[in-house]
Amino acid sequence: QVQLVESGGGLVQPGGSLRLSCAASGSIIRIYTMGWYRQAPGKQRELVTTITSSGNTNYVDPVKRRFTISRDNAKNTVYLQMNSLEPEDTAVYFCYAQVHDQRAGLRGYWGQGTQVTVSS
C-alpha cells in the first residue's frame, strides 16, 4: 500500500504564491508519472500538470506560464510552485502518482487534497 500526503495549501491574495508538496510512502518499488489535479466548487476535477520519471512536464493552458511542477525522486516527493495566483485558481488540489507497489503491482494513487483559496 502507498499513501500520498499533500501540504502547503492555504489562503493567499491575488498575485501571491504558494508551494504545494506531496510525499509518497509505503511499499514503493518505483514511481512513474506524478501529477496535480484540482477541483473547484461546483466543477469537475481537472488535470493541471504532470511530470514523468525522466522529468518531462505538461501543463494545461490556464497555468502554463504561472505554475511549475518538479520532483525529488530521492524523497518520493512532487512539488507544485504556483505564482501569480488568481481567484480562478481556488480549488482543492489533489496529488496523483502512478506507482509500482511491491504488494499490489502497478496502481494509481491519490492524495486526500489540500485547499487553495485565492481571495482579497
Side-chain angles (χ1 to χ4, degrees):
Q1 296 181 345
V2 173
Q3 299 80 41
L4 304 180
V5 179
E6 301 103 332
S7 62
L11 175 64
V12 65
Q13 293 193 102
S17 298
L18 285 174
R19 191 187 192 215
L20 307 183
S21 299
C22 172
S25 62
S27 53
I28 299 168
I29 293 178
R30 188 177 183 89
I31 302 179
Y32 298 97
T33 297
M34 306 184 78
W36 291 92
Y37 292 70
R38 66 185 182 185
Q39 187 167 19
K43 295 184 179 180
Q44 197 171 8
R45 186 177 300 188
E46 65 176 357
L47 175 69
V48 178
T49 178
T50 60
I51 183 168
T52 69
S53 58
S54 61
N56 291 326
T57 60
N58 289 284
Y59 303 89
V60 295
D61 287 342
V63 310
K64 188 165 292 183
R65 297 188 64 177
R66 301 182 295 117
F67 291 9
T68 302
I69 188 172
S70 61
R71 64 192 286 171
D72 185 336
N73 291 331
K75 297 180 179 180
N76 290 328
T77 300
V78 64
Y79 305 93
L80 183 63
Q81 179 67 45
M82 304 185 293
N83 298 325
S84 301
L85 283 162
E86 304 169 352
E88 293 75 18
D89 297 316
T90 295
V92 177
Y93 283 72
F94 296 90
C95 177
Y96 172 84
Q98 184 185 47
V99 180
H100 184 182
D101 186 327
Q102 186 172 19
R103 288 192 273 269
L106 185 64
R107 289 186 58 185
Y109 290 93
W110 292 91
Q112 291 184 316
T114 184
Q115 177 71 49
V116 172
T117 302
V118 185
S119 177
S120 59

